[in-house]
Amino acid sequence: MSNIPADLNYTAEHEWVRVMDESTIRFGITDYAQDALGDIVFVSLPNVGDTLTAGATCGEVESTKSVSDIFAPVSGEVVARNDAIETSPDTLNSDPYNNGWIADLKISGDAKAIVAGLLDAAAYQDITSG
């Protein structure tokens, strides 16, 4: 069974979202996603300054099994990215919710309200167990 922290929100495409402050969110791929991918060997990240659109591809993860797109969970501007996972992509396997984060987005509007429109842990659990 996957680790699905209750304090995060999720997308049906297997990204997690954490509210950092009133206008910034951090996101990454879920434990379920990294487990399905297998050993991650390469990550392509969005660049700082990029404007992302919710649901659009913003990077990719390559594993020994396959290549998968990373999707923006919400719309916003990339204000930080986790360069450390480009040199150590296996961090996505070992610590997807902390050191394995992908990027921080500055969003328009209240972050908590926007993230509330995503899946909560129980709804995400339903998707991954079905």
Side-chain angles (χ1 to χ4, degrees):
M1 180 190 284
S2 300
N3 176 18
I4 304 174
D7 63 328
L8 302 176
N9 288 86
Y10 301 88
T11 69
E13 292 76 30
H14 309 292
E15 282 81 30
W16 59 263
V17 176
R18 175 179 289 127
V19 174
M20 302 301 286
D21 64 37
E22 64 212 22
S23 62
T24 307
I25 63 100
R26 174 169 285 174
F27 74 96
I29 66 168
T30 65
D31 185 51
Y32 177 87
Q34 72 76 24
D35 186 57
L37 286 165
D39 294 332
I40 296 173
V41 296
F42 176 78
V43 180
S44 171
L45 301 173
N47 293 310
V48 172
D50 286 355
T51 300
L52 306 183
T53 302
T57 302
C58 65
E60 67 182 23
V61 177
E62 183 177 333
S63 73
T64 55
K65 293 182 184 178
S66 66
V67 176
S68 294
D69 289 331
I70 300 169
F71 298 96
V74 297
S75 297
E77 178 186 349
V78 178
V79 293
R81 63 186 227 151
N82 187 0
D83 292 328
I85 62 171
E86 285 190 317
T87 54
S88 297
D90 57 314
T91 304
L92 289 169
N93 292 119
S94 61
D95 194 13
Y97 296 116
N98 293 299
N99 292 323
W101 62 279
I102 303 288
D104 289 351
L105 298 180
K106 182 70 75 177
I107 58 178
S108 297
D110 177 43
K112 287 183 181 177
I114 291 169
V115 168
L118 300 175
L119 302 170
D120 64 13
Y124 184 68
Q125 175 69 44
D126 288 345
I127 288 174
T128 62
S129 62

